Amino acid sequence: MNEDTEAIKPCYPLFRDDDYQQVLSRKRREQEEGVDAAKIDETFEWTTTEEYQQLNFSREALTVDPGKACQPLGAVLCSLGFEKTLPYVHGSQGCVAY
């Protein structure tokens, strides 16, 4: 393969190219299990009800398995939901090794 290294684009303009957008659209369509907007709205509405609040606050104990979750990993996963964000974790080898 003979590619011109001068033609390599930085990531930001590259992601806007039609070819890249088509690849993303295809992956989204074929590989992601999307949820329709109505279901998202329904879930959001339920999580803002008094019933949900009572269920949430009535828990007496919570067990967190550190082998499956940690605060830095949780922060990274939450930040993935924000458009134009790139989560970055800097720290010891422990949790961020996920």
Side-chain angles (χ1 to χ4, degrees):
M1 178 181 272
N2 187 12
E3 292 189 17
D4 180 12
T5 56
E6 297 298 320
I8 297 174
K9 297 178 183 178
C11 62
Y12 187 69
L14 172 67
F15 297 152
R16 292 181 161 205
D17 279 357
D18 287 337
D19 290 343
Y20 192 85
Q21 290 297 317
Q22 288 173 6
V23 168
L24 281 179
S25 295
R26 181 182 51 77
K27 284 184 176 182
R28 193 174 294 122
R29 185 176 60 254
E30 294 175 4
Q31 298 174 2
E32 292 181 9
E33 295 180 22
V35 178
D36 64 353
K39 182 64 175 174
I40 292 171
D41 291 341
E42 176 188 336
T43 303
F44 175 76
E45 290 299 322
W46 183 70
T47 59
T48 59
T49 63
E50 183 72 26
E51 174 193 12
Y52 180 81
Q53 183 179 5
Q54 293 302 320
L55 284 171
N56 217 11
F57 290 131
S58 67
R59 291 185 283 181
E60 295 180 13
L62 174 66
T63 303
V64 176
D65 181 352
K68 294 183 178 180
C70 65
Q71 290 176 340
L73 179 61
V76 168
L77 294 175
C78 288
S79 65
L80 291 174
F82 294 96
E83 185 177 355
K84 298 182 180 178
T85 16
L86 175 65
Y88 178 78
V89 179
H90 182 270
S92 64
Q93 186 62 21
C95 255
V96 297
Y98 289 109

